[in-house]
Amino acid sequence: MNDNHLQFSKLPFSIKTAFYIIAFLVLFVFAVIEARGLLIPFTYSVLLSFILYPMCKFFEDRGTPRIGSILLCFFIVIAGLFGLFYFFSTQVVSIVSEFENFRGKLLNLVHQGIEQYNKIVPNSKLDDESLLNQAKKWLSSSSSSLLSGTLNQTSNFFSGLILIPIYVFLLLLYRTGIRRVLLRFVHTEYRVAFTHLLRDVQQVGQKYIGGLVIIIFLIGLLDSIALWIIGVDSPFFFGFLAACLAIIPYVGTGVGALLPALYAVMNHSPSMALYVLIAFWAVQFIEGNFLTPKIIGGEVSLNPLAAILSLITGGFVWGLSGMILFIPLAAILKIICQNYKELEPIAGLMGDEITRKDEMMRGKNHKPRTPFWKKLFK
């Protein structure tokens, strides 16, 4: 055998270490699921405090007491939420008034779809009455569980709605003391680095959530303009509703596009629904390739694999709230891993590093290929 060949050694494996890691992950997931009633509103509060911190500090630097600054921030946020509620409520009233007409058109569309299905599929006996009976049986069998689940979710929502402002107020009020106490967990030699880590976590949460709010506003504006040009009724309602649903990556965007498309089919024509889907796809393309990289930035963003895994894990652990919260939490986790040498590979797996082209495979002296359109104008 040639001595110049590379000699590879087998990787070490410790059953004890693997057992500890698996046991820790199982216990951690179990604890997170069981404590979701406490952790979900607290996580919302932490992320909201990241957003309100710059505004609060702005008022404090101009002589306003900390409590007064926090209350002033709350007043601005509540006023904005009431403005949005008033804007959307007028749109919802107009859409609800057309519900009876909309239901009739929807039933007619279902009837036409059943007729087309019976023509395509031979020996098919599908009809409206059988579907209606199956729907009634399903509702009667699942009504009790659906009602209990709805009441449970509603109670959790209102309890969290009360706790979140209290948590945010206390986090902003005692932020200096919380930072000081956290530093006591770290050895004196590493306190400067840990202070930078806390600052990075706060900035990442602020940049991610703040950037997400800006992106939602821009998506809503672009979707609304597109729907207005196409001629769909209530364009601003459907546009900003789709933008709010875009908080849930991948899933929310599709649902937000289907709602105005279905409304266009019911009230206008299938061709208009196709225009709606094309317009929403174009807006999504602009958001994914231009808006998000510029506003949020690559140092905060996750690669698609990490985003999808965070989305699925969040839905499994905390449901809808997990699908919303686990994306920014994963971005914060990536920043934490970047500050620890042993955890840097995890940050690389979560970031854009895996999406870059491998320069080692192509050679260090490899020159980038000239685009074909530049060759035409030589």
Side-chain angles (χ1 to χ4, degrees):
M1 181 179 292
N2 191 355
D3 294 336
N4 293 328
H5 285 286
L6 294 175
Q7 299 295 325
F8 295 97
S9 59
K10 294 184 179 180
L11 296 173
F13 179 79
S14 174
I15 297 179
K16 181 179 179 181
T17 303
F19 172 78
Y20 286 152
I21 293 175
I22 295 173
F24 171 78
L25 290 177
V26 171
L27 291 176
F28 178 77
V29 172
F30 177 77
V32 168
I33 293 175
E34 291 298 318
R36 60 179 176 266
L38 170 66
L39 294 178
I40 289 176
F42 185 75
T43 306
Y44 275 119
S45 304
V46 172
L47 295 177
L48 289 175
S49 64
F50 286 162
I51 301 176
L52 295 180
Y53 169 71
M55 188 190 305
C56 183
K57 193 172 185 304
F58 173 81
F59 292 122
E60 290 180 14
D61 293 340
R62 280 151 183 79
T64 307
R66 178 166 294 187
I67 295 180
S69 301
I70 298 172
L71 294 177
L72 189 58
C73 293
F74 276 25
F75 174 78
I76 294 174
V77 172
I78 292 173
L81 291 176
F82 268 107
L84 292 175
F85 176 77
Y86 175 78
F87 171 76
F88 282 113
S89 62
T90 56
Q91 301 290 323
V92 170
V93 169
S94 63
I95 293 176
V96 170
S97 62
E98 302 175 359
F99 177 74
E100 290 295 332
N101 187 27
F102 180 80
R103 184 178 63 176
K105 292 181 179 179
L106 181 61
L107 293 175
N108 185 32
L109 182 64
V110 171
H111 178 71
Q112 294 177 1
I114 292 174
E115 289 183 348
Q116 293 296 325
Y117 177 80
N118 292 331
K119 291 179 181 179
I120 296 173
V121 180
N123 301 324
S124 177
K125 298 180 180 180
L126 190 65
D127 55 17
D128 298 351
E129 186 176 356
S130 63
L131 285 178
L132 184 61
N133 291 332
Q134 291 178 6
K136 288 181 178 179
K137 290 180 181 178
W138 178 81
L139 287 175
S140 61
S141 62
S142 60
S143 58
S144 59
S145 61
L146 183 65
L147 180 61
S148 61
T150 302
L151 292 175
N152 187 26
Q153 293 290 334
T154 304
S155 61
N156 291 336
F157 172 78
F158 281 107
S159 62
L161 199 64
I162 297 173
L163 291 175
I164 287 175
I166 298 175
Y167 288 152
V168 173
F169 181 85
L170 295 177
L171 288 172
L172 291 174
L173 182 63
Y174 299 122
R175 62 180 186 268
T176 304
I178 293 174
R179 186 185 299 111
R180 185 171 58 249
V181 172
L182 289 177
L183 286 174
R184 294 171 60 183
F185 287 95
V186 184
H187 192 272
T188 308
E189 181 181 357
Y190 301 106
R191 286 186 178 179
V192 175
F194 189 74
T195 302
H196 291 164
L197 173 60
L198 293 178
R199 184 191 59 192
D200 292 341
V201 168
Q202 186 271 326
Q203 290 178 352
V204 166
Q206 173 191 333
K207 188 173 183 179
Y208 194 99
I209 304 300
L212 186 62
V213 172
I214 297 174
I215 290 173
I216 289 173
F217 175 78
L218 294 177
I219 292 176
L221 187 61
L222 292 175
D223 287 341
S224 301
I225 293 174
L227 293 175
W228 176 70
I229 294 174
I230 294 172
V232 178
D233 299 331
S234 305
F236 288 96
F237 170 76
F238 285 113
F240 280 94
L241 177 62
C244 293
L245 292 174
I247 296 176
I248 306 174
Y250 307 106
V251 178
T253 303
V255 175
L258 287 176
L259 291 177
L262 181 62
Y263 185 84
V265 170
M266 296 295 100
N267 292 275
H268 300 284
S269 63
S271 60
M272 182 173 287
L274 180 61
Y275 296 151
V276 170
L277 294 177
I278 293 174
F280 273 64
W281 174 84
V283 172
Q284 181 64 26
F285 178 82
I286 294 172
E287 179 268 328
N289 292 275
F290 299 100
L291 296 180
T292 299
K294 293 294 182 181
I295 296 175
I296 293 183
E299 70 277 5
V300 187
S301 62
L302 303 171
N303 60 62
L305 177 61
I308 292 175
L309 288 176
S310 301
L311 187 69
I312 296 174
T313 305
F316 171 76
V317 175
W318 286 349
L320 180 60
S321 294
M323 298 175 72
I324 297 173
L325 292 173
F326 269 52
I327 298 293
L329 289 180
I332 293 175
L333 177 62
K334 188 188 80 167
I335 297 299
I336 294 175
C337 292
Q338 288 177 350
N339 284 268
Y340 289 90
K341 186 177 180 180
E342 293 80 6
L343 301 179
E344 282 182 348
I346 299 178
L349 289 173
M350 299 175 67
D352 296 332
E353 186 175 342
I354 66 172
T355 62
R356 298 172 188 168
K357 294 181 179 179
D358 193 350
E359 299 297 335
M360 294 179 62
M361 297 296 294
R362 306 179 64 181
K364 294 182 179 179
N365 298 325
H366 177 80
K367 295 181 179 179
R369 185 177 299 175
T370 305
F372 75 95
W373 56 270
K374 287 188 177 181
K375 297 179 181 179
L376 297 176
F377 297 97
K378 280 188 175 181

